[in-house]
Amino acid sequence: MKKIGLIGFGCVGQGLYLLLNSTGYEKAQIKSIAVKSKDKPRIAPNEILRYSADELIDDPEIDIIIEAIDDADAAFDIARKTIVAGKDFITANKKMVATHLEELTALAQLNNVVFRYESAVCGAIPIVQTIDNYFAYEPILSLRGIFNGTSNYILSKIFNEKLEYRVALKQAQDLGFAETDPTADVGGYDPKYKLIILALHAFGVYLANEDVLNFGIDSLNKEDIDFARERNLKIKLVPSIYQIDGKVFGYVLPEFVSEKDNLYQVENEFNGVNIEAGFAGAQFLYGRGAGSFPTASAVASDLDHVVNKRGYFYQKKIKPSTVADDANILIEVYTRFTNEAIQKVLAFENVTEGLFTEDFRQLTGYISLKQLKNVAHILKREKVSIIATGRRKLIGQKTTEKILEQEKRRA
Ligand code: HSE
């Protein structure tokens, strides 16, 4: 039987401990658990508690390290040490994986260890393995979904129960869905990390955090919600990534979704992923994206792969797509702001709808992804509402039809 060293005993770690006890998994067993505080009461016996991650990594009896801590820098340190020590490594830390994906995949290959991170993306939805394995030899045209339980929970509570933003956020925190610093959730960073991880498996590309645009739901206000309601739309925080003619582009934006969109029905902490593949066509995966047991379930799935020495394929890395030029991507966005100088900052290519009042401007139009990225810091600082309509154009490409087809299906 393989021996596991579990580092971190919070929401995910405890979930895994209870899950393994309850299922009676026979191929591996937790030998030690590294925790920070000596004073907290724990659900595991004292004999297996340790107070140093290094002690577990250095323990020759431990074969597999499972890391479920919050701090991405400390997690990276653990990842490197574990892999260099020749032990298989499972992590739930999406920020750490997204930030160091290239280095860690190379290091794992070099040291011939299995490195897996299913629970880092969309909780219990088996999306990493599905894209990596099932779709290994099939072109992915797009991935689009709800990857963050906390912001979806908040939006659901606002839309369905008219709860206030702060109250809904507090509930998501109390339920264990939110990150320690919820800016990662509501600012759209957490879903961006997940998008970056999927981009490698789906398209073979390593995207840097700073190169992927993310807006969150933290700048949205009552007027934006009313605008959506009046049109029978909901607002969801949607990471999306498209491939057209071998060129890839992705971003995270709040988006208006209609009843006909699968994402419309995804509520609370649930996540959903729309996959558009070249031969399989469209698929929709739906499940719990956050919470102790759903996340632990994904870790347990990784554990069995690791025990059987099954790493990811990374098939798409052999012939990676190229990243599209941001200047060629036009995204239609709804914007709302009070400072009229913002209109110049936005530099719309063309405006499709506008409302000017004494108090605010509400403009919808096409902006290049490059421009949006360039001015994102100003728009965030000025609390400008930015919501994608779901329409976009790729300049200078023959097969914009593929996207238009997708849009037609969704419309
Ligand atoms: N904070 C994350 C979320 C946890 O709300 O989705 C799961 O990754």
Side-chain angles (χ1 to χ4, degrees):
M1 185 184 276
K2 297 275 183 197
K3 294 278 191 303
I4 304 164
L6 173 61
I7 301 176
F9 206 43
C11 181
V12 179
Q14 290 182 52
L16 181 70
Y17 177 80
L18 294 172
L19 183 154
L20 292 177
N21 280 350
S22 149
T23 57
Y25 186 65
E26 283 171 350
K27 294 185 232 165
Q29 160 187 74
I30 296 176
K31 183 187 177 220
S32 312
I33 304 173
V35 295
K36 245 200 280 188
S37 158
K38 291 194 177 175
D39 310 321
K40 269 194 200 165
R42 306 281 178 185
I43 57 166
N46 273 336
E47 307 85 81
I48 66 168
L49 298 181
R50 301 287 178 274
Y51 302 96
S52 137
D54 286 349
E55 193 181 325
L56 273 57
I57 300 169
D58 295 339
D59 182 341
E61 282 187 14
I62 288 180
D63 313 283
I64 302 162
I65 293 287
I66 299 179
E67 174 276 309
I69 64 169
D70 208 36
D71 178 337
D73 294 330
F76 180 49
D77 195 42
I78 291 166
R80 264 193 309 204
K81 284 183 181 160
T82 301
I83 295 172
V84 169
K87 296 183 184 199
D88 295 327
F89 182 62
I90 297 169
T91 176
N93 197 314
K94 49 261 158 145
K95 181 176 181 185
M96 189 274 284
V97 175
T99 310
H100 303 287
L101 196 49
E102 189 160 11
E103 178 176 348
L104 291 179
T105 49
L107 204 61
Q109 197 183 15
L110 192 72
N111 289 278
N112 197 23
V113 305
V114 179
F115 164 44
R116 295 189 72 104
Y117 36 81
E118 184 62 64
S119 61
V121 188
C122 297
I125 301 178
I127 186 67
V128 181
Q129 47 188 295
T130 301
I131 298 296
D132 180 80
N133 188 326
Y134 185 90
F135 287 108
Y137 294 96
E138 177 158 352
I140 302 284
L141 305 178
S142 71
L143 294 173
R144 177 180 165 274
I146 291 171
F147 295 1
N148 183 262
T150 300
S151 48
N152 202 52
Y153 183 92
I154 295 170
L155 290 170
S156 292
K157 293 290 164 186
I158 292 174
F159 268 86
N160 304 335
E161 295 171 32
K162 302 215 161 111
L163 227 61
E164 272 183 38
Y165 178 93
R166 296 212 163 276
V167 178
L169 171 59
K170 173 78 175 48
Q171 285 185 3
Q173 288 176 304
D174 291 345
L175 289 163
F177 304 147
E179 300 301 303
T180 309
D181 174 3
T183 315
D185 299 294
V186 296
Y189 297 91
D190 174 90
K192 173 163 85 171
Y193 302 140
K194 295 164 178 168
L195 188 76
I196 288 173
I197 296 171
L198 291 183
L200 174 62
H201 294 272
F203 306 109
V205 294
Y206 289 101
L207 301 177
N209 282 334
E210 58 277 15
D211 291 340
V212 182
L213 176 79
N214 63 292
F215 276 88
I217 60 164
D218 42 359
S219 298
L220 303 184
N221 53 45
K222 192 185 165 299
E223 288 74 18
D224 306 321
I225 308 291
D226 290 343
F227 180 94
R229 275 212 188 96
E230 281 159 20
R231 287 159 178 77
N232 291 323
L233 300 167
K234 285 182 186 167
I235 301 170
K236 298 286 184 187
L237 183 57
V238 181
S240 43
I241 185 157
Y242 301 91
Q243 168 166 239
I244 302 170
D245 294 343
K247 298 237 172 16
V248 170
F249 59 95
Y251 43 82
V252 180
L253 288 173
E255 188 174 317
F256 292 118
V257 297
S258 77
E259 246 176 319
K260 287 174 189 151
D261 191 323
N262 289 325
L263 304 185
Y264 189 90
Q265 308 297 348
V266 179
E267 299 288 16
N268 301 319
E269 80 276 23
F270 280 79
N271 283 190
V273 190
N274 275 310
I275 306 170
E276 186 81 27
F279 295 89
Q283 290 192 352
F284 180 58
L285 273 67
Y286 169 80
R288 283 195 163 77
S292 178
F293 285 133
T295 313
S297 159
V299 176
S301 164
D302 274 349
L303 177 61
D304 193 58
H305 284 291
V306 164
V307 165
N308 291 294
K309 275 285 177 192
R310 289 191 298 259
Y312 293 123
F313 286 172
Y314 298 111
Q315 185 62 29
K316 301 281 167 62
K317 254 171 55 171
I318 295 171
K319 213 174 153 213
S321 308
T322 46
V323 178
D325 181 350
D326 293 337
N328 289 337
I329 297 147
L330 298 182
I331 307 172
E332 192 185 44
V333 288
Y334 153 106
T335 65
R336 191 176 192 284
F337 44 91
T338 46
N339 176 355
E340 61 186 48
I342 291 295
Q343 191 169 341
K344 271 219 169 83
V345 172
L346 285 163
F348 281 102
E349 296 283 332
N350 68 311
V351 172
T352 41
E353 194 182 328
L355 175 66
F356 292 73
T357 74
E358 270 178 24
D359 303 325
F360 66 89
R361 290 185 181 188
Q362 192 173 285
L363 295 172
T364 301
Y366 282 90
I367 306 179
S368 79
L369 181 55
K370 182 174 183 183
Q371 176 64 11
L372 261 184
K373 276 188 189 173
N374 283 345
V375 300
H377 63 289
I378 304 174
L379 303 179
K380 285 180 189 179
R381 189 186 67 212
E382 296 287 325
K383 298 259 170 221
V384 177
S385 305
I386 301 277
I387 307 171
T389 64
R391 285 180 283 275
R392 73 211 82 81
K393 297 175 188 167
L394 185 65
I395 301 170
Q397 293 295 324
K398 283 178 287 173
T399 41
T400 324
E401 285 82 5
K402 280 183 192 160
I403 280 190
L404 295 175
E405 260 175 45
Q406 286 171 10
E407 275 172 2
K408 246 189 264 155
R409 271 197 291 275
R410 281 176 46 211

